[in-house]
């Protein structure tokens, strides 16, 4: 396995909470996928804000690992945090984000995107590793 890129992001939950209060559904609908909204909205209070903040941090960390940031056609909604039945988070990339990932993956290899999330009020942290293994 070959490490291709890493990205990290630290997010202040209070910032996400203020943006959500100010812009409401406009912000949430633009940034988060329907699945992410369902997952976060199943929680209440600080847990809900923390869930959104961790997903924001994951999107930022992934965009950094891709080397594009949120430019070159890569948008927040193309990077989705899903949870396995075990609860472990994973990333699903679509659109231009998936194309960038494919472009950075060496021929004959398969990309693997690993995600780690944590939070400690008032911060949420995400780390993304992109690696390639022979396919």
């Amino acid at each position: 396995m070959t490490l291709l890129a890493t990205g990290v992001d630290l997010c202040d939950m209070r910032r996400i909470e203020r943006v959500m209060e100010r812009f409401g559904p406009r912000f949430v609908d633009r940034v988060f996928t329907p699945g992410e909204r369902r997952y976060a909205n199943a929680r209440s209070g600080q847990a809900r804000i923390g869930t959104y903040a961790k997903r924001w941090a994951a999107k930022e960390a992934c965009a950094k690992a891709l080397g594009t940031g949120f430019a070159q056609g890569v948008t927040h909604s193309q990077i989705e945090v899903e949870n396995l039945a075990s609860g472990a988070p994973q990333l699903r990339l679509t659109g231009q984000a998936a194309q960038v990932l494919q472009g950075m993956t060496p021929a004959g290899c398969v990309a693997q995107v690993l995600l780690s999330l944590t939070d400690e009020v008032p911060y949420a942290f995400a780390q993304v590793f992109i690696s390639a293994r022979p396919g």
Side-chain angles (χ1 to χ4, degrees):
M1 192 169 304
T2 302
L3 180 64
L4 300 177
T6 64
V8 299
D9 191 70
L10 179 67
C11 175
D12 188 325
M13 292 179 196
R14 297 167 294 192
R15 178 175 166 241
I16 296 300
E17 186 173 28
R18 284 191 304 269
V19 171
M20 288 174 66
E21 287 171 356
R22 182 173 178 195
F23 297 105
R26 270 193 355 224
F27 167 73
V28 172
D29 293 347
R30 181 177 55 85
V31 172
F32 300 100
T33 66
E36 289 172 321
R37 294 191 304 265
R38 273 191 306 279
Y39 190 82
N41 290 335
R43 286 145 182 73
S44 61
Q46 194 59 46
R48 181 175 160 267
I49 298 300
T51 299
Y52 276 120
K54 284 186 282 191
R55 277 147 183 76
W56 173 270
K59 292 167 185 282
E60 292 281 339
C62 183
K64 291 171 185 175
L66 291 173
T68 60
F70 291 104
Q72 301 176 30
V74 174
T75 65
H76 288 88
S77 62
Q78 296 171 355
I79 302 168
E80 181 175 19
V81 178
E82 300 175 319
N83 289 81
L84 301 173
S86 67
Q90 66 178 9
L91 287 173
R92 185 173 71 86
L93 292 109
T94 60
Q96 185 63 23
Q99 290 179 12
V100 170
L101 177 63
Q102 184 178 16
M104 67 190 294
T105 305
C109 290
V110 175
Q112 182 175 16
V113 182
L114 300 173
L115 170 64
S116 181
L117 297 173
T118 192
D119 65 334
E120 180 67 41
V121 176
Y123 300 107
F125 179 80
Q127 186 167 27
V128 172
F129 293 95
I130 299 175
S131 60
R133 60 177 169 77

